[in-house]
């Protein structure tokens, strides 16, 4: 039962149930909108553009969102953003059902989703520490939260593949709209005793500067954020190209695409379960290095796969490596950042992940359009290995200076 120990906390249990249901709808919508765009355009570049629009607000707004949330009630922010996401899904469902859609409207709604998510993701991450009464259960709660996300990634695309083939994209969007009812009901039933947010008289731009200075003075935190930023720019955008693998490389349909998404979700689910079983005190830096390496090598395997079975196996491995990488970094930041700087630290984490990803998706989509999906994904795997090597060299430098400062303190400051 140690794997599920954080579920004993009432508030986290409600959060877990609501997210587990809602995220299935979220993944169905992601698959449906990717398939809709590629079906009507046949363009890898436009696939990258839609991903760009849905995530670029995180690059611009995440630090601002972190400062905003540090000053306001995190729970209320989450409630408002979940309702707004529900409305966005409802508008998308109605638009496709009425056959009144185009790339312009899809782009506008993708951008709206990104604007909302910039605040929603930061607020939910910052709220996590308040959902468990025993802080030793926080790493387990983060891992279980990730497992819910990736279990939904396994189930959602599989359901989307069936519904896309039988009914169409609008039903996927409708199911996502209805799934938000669960998460909103669970939020209403929570019993939180939040410490009132301090109303700082300092200008919010000064708060942003404080967050930046804090990370600059914390090389262990900033190095992990930079690793994730580089990975999000140059490696993780391979997910944008999965519809191309399904349709053009392996000559499949929407069901084939759902297999790729589900394979990535299955690998990620195994990664999340692995993280949930970790005992406190595990070396998260080393785990980040190992998982990042697995992720990069699996991408090389996906790029050269000649059969769909091998491609799906490689995709599952990428999902596992990516999940463990992100979860290890998230857990380290949550447990090592100071409480008054946690939301701002997490906002930079979200900016490095969701903010850099749209730029990478746009670039990767453009390159795949001209050089082919296999060449581009192979190059991403090589870049992933190089990023890990640079991070390892950087970590050796940090460890060296920590030892030097320790010796100085012992000799001269006693």
């Amino acid at each position: 039962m140690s794997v599920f120990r954080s579920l004993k906390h009432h508030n986290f249990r409600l959060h877990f149930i609501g997210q587990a249901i809602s995220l299935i709808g979220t993944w169905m919508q992601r698959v449906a909108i990717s398939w809709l765009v590629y079906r009507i355009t046949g363009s890898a570049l436009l696939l990258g553009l839609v991903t760009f629009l849905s995530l670029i607000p995180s690059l611009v707004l995440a630090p601002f969102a972190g400062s905003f949330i540090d000053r306001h009630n995190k729970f209320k922010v989450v409630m408002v953003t979940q309702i707004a996401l529900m409305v966005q899904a409802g508008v998308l469902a109605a638009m496709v059902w009425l056959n009144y859609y185009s790339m312009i409207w899809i782009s506008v709604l993708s951008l709206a989703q990104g604007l909302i998510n910039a605040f929603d993701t930061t607020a939910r991450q910052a709220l996590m520490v308040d959902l468990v009464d025993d802080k030793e259960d926080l790493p387990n709660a983060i891992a279980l939260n990730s497992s819910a996300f990736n279990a939904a990634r396994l189930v959602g695309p599989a359901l989307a593949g069936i519904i896309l083939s039988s009914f169409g994209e609008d039903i996927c969007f409708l199911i996502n709209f209805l799934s938000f009812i669960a998460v909103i009901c669970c939020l209403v039933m929570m019993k939180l005793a939040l410490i009132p947010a301090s109303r700082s008289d300092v200008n919010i731009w000064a708060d942003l500067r404080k967050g930046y200075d804090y990370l600059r003075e914390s090389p262990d935190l900033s190095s992990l954020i930079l690793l994730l930023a580089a990975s999000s720019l140059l490696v993780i955008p391979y997910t944008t190209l999965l519809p191309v693998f399904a349709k053009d490389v392996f000559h499949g349909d929407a069901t084939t695409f759902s297999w790729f998404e589900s394979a990535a979700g299955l690998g990620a689910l195994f990664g999340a379960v692995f993280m949930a079983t970790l005992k406190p005190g595990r070396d998260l830096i080393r785990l980040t290095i190992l998982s990042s390496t697995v992720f990069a090598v699996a991408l090389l395997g996906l790029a050269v796969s000649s059969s769909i079975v091998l491609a799906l196996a490689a995709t599952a491995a990428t999902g596992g490596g990516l999940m463990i990488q992100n979860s290890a970094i998230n857990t380290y930041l949550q447990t090592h950042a100071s409480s008054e700087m946690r939301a701002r630290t997490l906002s930079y984490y979200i900016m490095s992940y969701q903010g850099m990803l749209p730029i990478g998706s746009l670039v990767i989509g453009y390159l795949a359009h001209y050089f082919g999906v296999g060449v581009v994904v192979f190059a991403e795997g090589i870049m992933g290995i190089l990023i890990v090597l640079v991070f390892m060299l950087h970590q050796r430098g940090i460890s060296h200076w920590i030892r030097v400062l320790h010796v100085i303190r012992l000799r001269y400051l006693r």
Side-chain angles (χ1 to χ4, degrees):
M1 292 298 291
S2 60
V3 175
F4 304 103
R5 61 184 179 273
S6 55
L7 291 178
K8 66 187 178 185
H9 304 288
H10 172 77
N11 292 319
F12 178 74
R13 186 166 61 250
L14 287 170
H15 169 82
F16 182 84
I17 293 170
Q19 287 296 308
I21 296 171
S22 179
L23 284 169
I24 292 174
T26 298
W27 273 107
M28 291 181 71
Q29 175 163 309
R30 287 190 184 188
V31 170
I33 203 165
S34 293
W35 187 255
L36 176 64
V37 170
Y38 200 62
R39 177 175 63 80
I40 64 178
T41 68
S43 170
L45 178 60
L46 290 177
L47 268 177
L49 175 63
V50 169
T51 303
F52 175 85
L53 291 172
S54 66
L55 295 175
I56 191 61
S58 293
L59 177 63
V60 179
L61 294 178
F64 172 80
S67 295
F68 177 86
I69 290 160
D70 276 336
R71 293 166 172 244
H72 295 82
N73 187 303
K74 293 173 283 189
F75 177 80
K76 290 182 179 179
V77 173
V78 171
M79 179 66 79
V80 170
T81 54
Q82 289 294 304
I83 293 172
L85 288 170
M86 182 181 186
V87 171
Q88 187 267 354
V91 172
L92 190 55
M95 185 178 67
V96 177
W97 181 63
L98 294 171
N99 201 32
Y100 187 76
Y101 63 89
S102 64
M103 275 303 300
I104 293 176
W105 281 112
I106 292 171
S107 299
V108 168
L109 287 171
S110 295
L111 180 61
Q113 182 185 39
L115 291 169
I116 300 165
N117 275 331
F119 289 86
D120 177 72
T121 306
T122 306
R124 282 191 291 108
Q125 291 287 346
L127 186 65
M128 186 68 65
V129 71
D130 298 299
L131 300 179
V132 292
D133 301 321
D134 185 350
K135 300 312 176 228
E136 288 192 357
D137 290 334
L138 180 60
N140 178 258
I142 293 171
L144 281 184
N145 193 55
S146 297
S147 70
F149 178 86
N150 290 294
R153 188 179 184 181
L154 175 63
V155 176
L159 291 175
I162 296 170
I163 292 172
L164 283 172
S165 301
S166 304
F167 303 103
E169 294 92 351
D170 53 339
I171 302 301
C172 290
F173 301 144
L174 177 61
I175 291 173
N176 185 39
F177 169 79
L178 296 174
S179 72
F180 280 101
I181 295 173
V183 72
I184 292 170
C185 288
C186 287
L187 285 171
V188 170
M189 290 188 288
M190 285 184 183
K191 301 174 182 177
L192 286 171
L194 294 178
I195 299 173
S198 57
R199 294 283 180 170
S200 174
D201 294 329
V202 178
N203 185 281
I204 196 164
W205 300 109
D207 268 356
L208 289 174
R209 179 70 186 184
K210 285 181 182 179
Y212 173 79
D213 290 340
Y214 175 73
L215 285 176
R216 189 177 61 180
E217 295 166 4
S218 307
D220 58 326
L221 304 181
S222 58
S223 63
L224 287 170
I225 290 174
L226 288 173
L227 166 68
L228 186 58
S231 185
S232 297
L233 180 64
L234 301 171
V235 189
I236 299 175
Y238 86 98
T239 55
T240 302
L241 302 177
L242 290 181
V244 185
F245 271 102
K247 191 171 187 291
D248 294 346
V249 177
F250 294 104
H251 310 292
D253 54 14
T255 301
T256 311
F257 174 39
S258 73
W259 292 348
F260 276 94
E261 286 286 5
S262 293
L266 179 62
L269 180 59
F270 277 111
V273 171
F274 169 77
M275 290 298 295
T277 60
L278 287 183
K279 296 179 180 179
R282 184 68 182 264
D283 188 344
L284 295 173
I285 301 293
R286 179 174 297 179
L287 190 59
T288 300
I289 292 171
L290 290 174
S291 59
S292 300
T293 303
V294 169
F295 179 31
V297 172
L299 273 182
L300 296 177
L302 174 61
V304 300
S305 294
S306 57
S307 74
I308 192 167
V309 174
L310 293 176
L312 290 173
T315 302
T318 63
L322 175 57
M323 193 277 139
I324 295 174
Q325 177 201 62
N326 285 351
S327 184
I329 293 173
N330 189 348
T331 302
Y332 189 94
L333 296 177
Q334 293 256 23
T335 53
H336 287 75
S338 63
S339 57
E340 64 273 13
M341 288 291 179
R342 184 173 290 114
R344 270 167 280 189
T345 299
L346 290 172
S347 72
Y348 279 96
Y349 161 81
I350 293 164
M351 182 177 68
S352 68
Y353 181 34
Q354 294 188 355
M356 298 304 293
L357 186 57
I359 298 175
S361 296
L362 197 61
V363 172
I364 293 303
Y366 176 82
L367 293 175
H369 183 74
Y370 287 100
F371 298 104
V373 64
V375 172
V376 171
V377 171
F378 189 86
E380 286 184 278
I382 296 296
M383 292 305 303
I385 293 172
L386 293 176
I387 289 168
V388 172
L389 291 175
V390 171
F391 178 76
M392 291 172 65
L393 292 173
H394 182 66
Q395 287 299 118
R396 289 183 62 182
I398 291 175
S399 300
H400 169 74
W401 285 110
I402 288 175
R403 287 195 296 270
V404 169
L405 291 173
H406 181 64
V407 170
I408 293 173
R409 186 169 64 250
L410 288 176
R411 288 184 178 179
Y412 304 108
L413 301 179
R414 285 189 299 180

